[in-house]
Amino acid sequence: MKLLEGVKVIDFSKWLPGQYCGMLLGDYGADVIKIEDLAGDATRRFWPEKEPGMSFWHLMLNRNKRGVALNLKAEGGRELLLKLLAEADVFLEGFRPGYLARYGLDYETVHKINPRLVYCSITGFGQKCHKPAHDLNVIGLAGLNSLDDIGRACVSEVQVSAIGSGLNALSAISMALFARGRRGEGQWLDVNLYATALSMQVTGASALWGCAETGDKPFGRIAHYYNIYRTKDGRYLTVGTIEPKFWQRFCDLIECPELEKRQYDFAHEDELLQLLEQKLAEKTQAEWLELIGGAEFCVTPVCSLEEALQSELTQQEDIVQEADCDLGRLHYLGGPVKFSDAQSAITRRAPRLGEHTQEVLRELGYSEEQLTEFRAAKAVL
């Protein structure tokens, strides 16, 4: 059983948030039709490429989608997109506010053509701000760059606000489709990266406001019992011993029983941090892990991505998948959620530019003569 079988999605997104959302919709069975202009998305050419115009980014994020290339500015291009939207369940777009309105593709216009359509817009800052932005800009503005508590700016390998917005869009679309089943009408969903990044800081904001009221000093996330420590070989261990029982086992591990009663000795926080840094630097990561063995008390290694992909935890999740196609064998990270009666599946590689244009237009009822006319007018590829 495919959870989203029968749901047709028009994915007119060009960047990670929309591509990720569309990817997940396709993984769980939706018929996702990816729309690109005649030049194709810039992400097709991101390094590294499997072949020209087929980057590994594109192959990962646009799997399970059919590809249509059309030109909104050419005669017939807008007509084709409107016809697709008239039969669709979901429209996913990632343009700055007002852009699609120039072509009569804004929510109000499209809603009149297809009142049941769920129209999802993903922007940097919502419909009231036209500024361009990418994840790095957004998380800086939202205060996420300084999560190490001392204000050091950092760049994460994970585009937090972008992936988070893709997930927010997925959940919003699912809720809107559920609501449509009861009300009979679609609606407009406004998802933006800034609100997503800000909303992720619920614990930080609650502590900030609480301390402002009580007069306490904001503590942050890092403490001597909740931190990352460097080992002798330059590797790292994460110590997340929040529960007293785990802290006691950690003190036994490092042979410092005198620290057991000092878990909440915040008056000497700097002293405790320095002591633990010195202690954990006495052994390599592998030596510490051998001492820990099968014990469970929230002290774990910091792994590279390559190590994580090859780990036992990843193997038991069955999230790494392989599929053979005309490009050879491709590797994927599959859907992260398991259902008792359905699973995600990767059944189609990402499309070449315009690979399914003719197929999709034939499904809309266009004749071969009309298809030739559209190509001659450079409305489609």
Side-chain angles (χ1 to χ4, degrees):
M1 170 191 171
K2 294 182 178 179
L3 290 169
L4 296 176
E5 188 170 355
V7 174
K8 181 172 283 189
V9 179
I10 307 304
D11 179 359
F12 202 1
S13 59
K14 300 170 74 68
W15 299 104
L16 177 57
Q19 289 177 350
Y20 185 67
C21 177
M23 179 196 82
L24 291 173
L25 290 168
D27 284 357
Y28 290 101
D31 177 14
V32 182
I33 299 174
K34 176 172 177 56
I35 307 296
E36 299 176 79
D37 60 32
L38 302 192
D41 290 350
T43 54
R44 282 184 170 276
R45 296 172 289 279
F46 277 12
W47 181 87
E49 291 179 285
K50 182 75 170 176
E51 65 177 40
M54 295 290 278
S55 68
F56 284 89
W57 170 301
H58 172 70
L59 290 167
M60 177 73 80
L61 285 154
N62 292 307
R63 80 246 188 151
N64 286 335
K65 302 178 186 180
R66 294 192 284 169
V68 171
L70 59 79
N71 180 6
L72 284 182
K73 300 176 181 178
E75 185 176 351
R78 174 180 174 275
E79 172 199 331
L80 292 174
L81 185 52
L82 282 174
K83 196 159 185 178
L84 281 169
L85 293 175
E87 299 183 0
D89 297 288
V90 177
F91 182 38
L92 185 59
E93 63 93 3
F95 294 94
R96 279 196 265 176
Y99 177 82
L100 288 180
R102 303 177 199 170
Y103 301 97
L105 293 166
D106 52 290
Y107 172 70
E108 289 77 13
T109 301
V110 175
H111 182 70
K112 293 174 184 176
I113 297 169
N114 182 359
R116 291 177 54 80
L117 182 73
V118 173
Y119 189 116
C120 182
S121 299
I122 306 179
T123 60
F125 303 102
Q127 297 303 309
K128 296 179 181 178
C129 180
H130 290 70
K131 290 181 180 179
H134 289 293
D135 176 76
L136 190 61
N137 310 113
V138 170
I139 62 174
L141 288 167
L144 273 171
N145 281 101
S146 56
L147 284 185
D148 64 356
D149 291 340
I150 59 173
R152 290 183 304 199
C154 53
V155 179
S156 170
E157 283 293 322
V158 177
Q159 291 102 317
V160 178
S161 70
I163 292 291
S165 293
L167 291 171
N168 278 346
L170 177 67
S171 62
I173 288 168
S174 301
M175 287 187 281
L177 288 173
F178 180 76
R180 188 186 72 175
R182 294 182 297 174
R183 298 170 48 201
E185 249 191 344
Q187 53 189 298
W188 188 11
L189 312 176
D190 179 9
V191 179
N192 76 75
L193 276 66
Y194 182 75
T196 293
L198 211 56
S199 70
M200 288 178 171
Q201 299 183 77
V202 286
T203 56
S206 64
L208 186 67
W209 289 327
C211 288
E213 182 175 317
T214 63
D216 293 318
K217 180 182 178 181
F219 186 72
R221 295 185 68 209
I222 292 177
H224 56 275
Y225 59 82
Y226 195 86
N227 208 342
I228 298 174
Y229 292 97
R230 187 182 176 96
T231 55
K232 185 177 181 179
D233 55 343
R235 302 297 301 276
Y236 293 89
L237 289 175
T238 55
V239 176
T241 53
I242 294 176
E243 295 86 347
K245 62 181 181 180
F246 292 155
W247 170 251
Q248 290 173 15
R249 293 176 195 171
F250 173 64
C251 292
D252 291 340
L253 171 73
I254 62 175
E255 299 179 340
C256 291
E258 70 277 8
L259 297 182
E260 288 186 10
K261 303 297 183 183
R262 299 185 65 185
Q263 181 174 8
Y264 303 117
D265 184 8
F266 300 129
H268 300 91
E269 180 69 10
D270 290 342
E271 173 195 333
L272 290 169
L273 277 170
Q274 186 175 9
L275 190 155
L276 293 180
E277 285 172 355
Q278 293 171 351
K279 193 69 182 176
L280 288 165
E282 292 177 359
K283 292 180 172 63
T284 67
Q285 185 193 72
E287 289 170 337
W288 284 118
L289 294 177
E290 185 176 356
L291 286 172
I292 292 168
E296 300 176 352
F297 51 94
C298 298
V299 178
T300 52
V302 174
C303 298
S304 67
L305 177 58
E306 184 177 12
E307 289 171 328
L309 290 172
Q310 296 173 355
S311 71
E312 183 179 345
L313 285 172
T314 299
Q315 299 306 314
Q316 71 187 30
E317 277 301 305
D318 198 29
I319 194 173
V320 175
Q321 301 179 25
E322 296 180 352
D324 292 317
C325 68
D326 56 337
L327 295 176
R329 176 158 293 187
L330 299 176
H331 295 82
Y332 298 102
L333 286 178
V337 180
K338 296 180 175 65
F339 294 81
S340 59
D341 293 328
Q343 294 301 330
S344 66
I346 300 170
T347 57
R348 186 193 296 271
R349 65 150 169 77
R352 290 187 171 84
L353 182 60
E355 181 172 346
H356 304 98
T357 300
Q358 309 307 311
E359 174 186 311
V360 170
L361 296 191
R362 288 188 189 101
E363 290 174 2
L364 291 175
Y366 288 105
S367 67
E368 295 301 320
E369 182 181 353
Q370 288 173 307
L371 296 181
T372 301
E373 291 174 356
F374 283 134
R375 286 194 295 268
K378 296 185 179 179
V380 299
L381 189 65

